[in-house]
Amino acid sequence: MKAVRFIPLLALLLMTMPMTGQSKRSNKSMETNSIKLTIRGGETFTATLVDNSSTRALKEQLAKGDITVEMEDYADMEKVGSLGISLPRNDRRTTTGPGDLILYQGHNLVIYYDTNSWNFTRLGKIDNVDGAQLKSALGEGGVTVTLSLDR
């Protein structure tokens, strides 16, 4: 008879316990403010993200899987390519610098290795890299960049 009284208590304890497994890992990944960028041949950088609806939506997409972007040179100051998805825009007048990650028109990822000013959505900045290092890593012409959560 005493065991019957403990069943509701046990059920209550199980419902309030933290989640385990994949859901817990996904939630932890969503809390991070950094992502990983893998550039041709496996060279990897981390980037610190700003907090806005664009980066939150990007992290939601990355929790489902990596995003690979085919990027091309533009105006000898940036690489640009379609994300293949649309993200919320938080455009405002922005001056970029080397390593800045920008969302352009809601669906293009831009990696700057020089400066520019325009109405953009700032996503974040690649950590510990200058313009020359970044331009060298990205190379001339087209490049493939894979975004992933920094786990």
Side-chain angles (χ1 to χ4, degrees):
M1 293 290 245
K2 290 183 181 182
V4 173
R5 281 192 245 159
F6 290 109
I7 292 174
L9 181 59
L10 181 60
L12 179 62
L13 285 172
L14 289 173
M15 290 188 319
T16 59
M17 289 178 68
M19 293 170 36
T20 59
Q22 183 62 34
S23 297
K24 187 174 180 182
R25 282 190 299 271
S26 295
N27 289 342
K28 184 178 179 187
S29 296
M30 293 297 291
E31 294 171 9
T32 185
N33 69 337
S34 63
I35 60 172
K36 185 167 52 171
L37 293 89
T38 304
I39 301 173
R40 92 157 60 122
E43 190 164 0
T44 302
F45 297 93
T46 58
T48 302
L49 300 177
V50 299
D51 182 22
N52 61 31
S53 61
S54 306
T55 57
R56 288 188 296 273
L58 176 61
K59 289 189 295 184
E60 285 176 19
Q61 291 296 317
L62 291 173
K64 298 174 188 175
D66 297 351
I67 297 174
T68 299
V69 182
E70 298 296 328
M71 305 188 83
E72 295 291 331
D73 286 316
Y74 181 78
D76 200 32
M77 66 180 160
E78 66 189 51
K79 293 283 189 183
V80 62
S82 176
L83 286 166
I85 56 171
S86 290
L87 300 174
R89 292 170 67 167
N90 291 282
D91 292 348
R92 63 177 52 144
R93 187 72 176 174
T94 302
T95 299
T96 65
D100 281 342
L101 299 178
I102 299 293
L103 177 66
Y104 179 64
Q105 296 183 336
H107 62 89
N108 291 304
L109 175 68
V110 183
I111 301 174
Y112 277 90
Y113 47 84
D114 208 338
T115 60
N116 188 25
S117 291
W118 199 257
N119 286 331
F120 300 124
T121 297
R122 184 175 299 280
L123 296 175
K125 187 169 187 75
I126 298 174
D127 302 326
N128 305 315
V129 66
D130 65 28
Q133 293 168 319
L134 194 53
K135 189 171 183 179
S136 174
L138 293 169
E140 297 287 326
V143 67
T144 301
V145 177
T146 300
L147 308 177
S148 58
L149 289 175
D150 188 21
R151 301 174 211 252

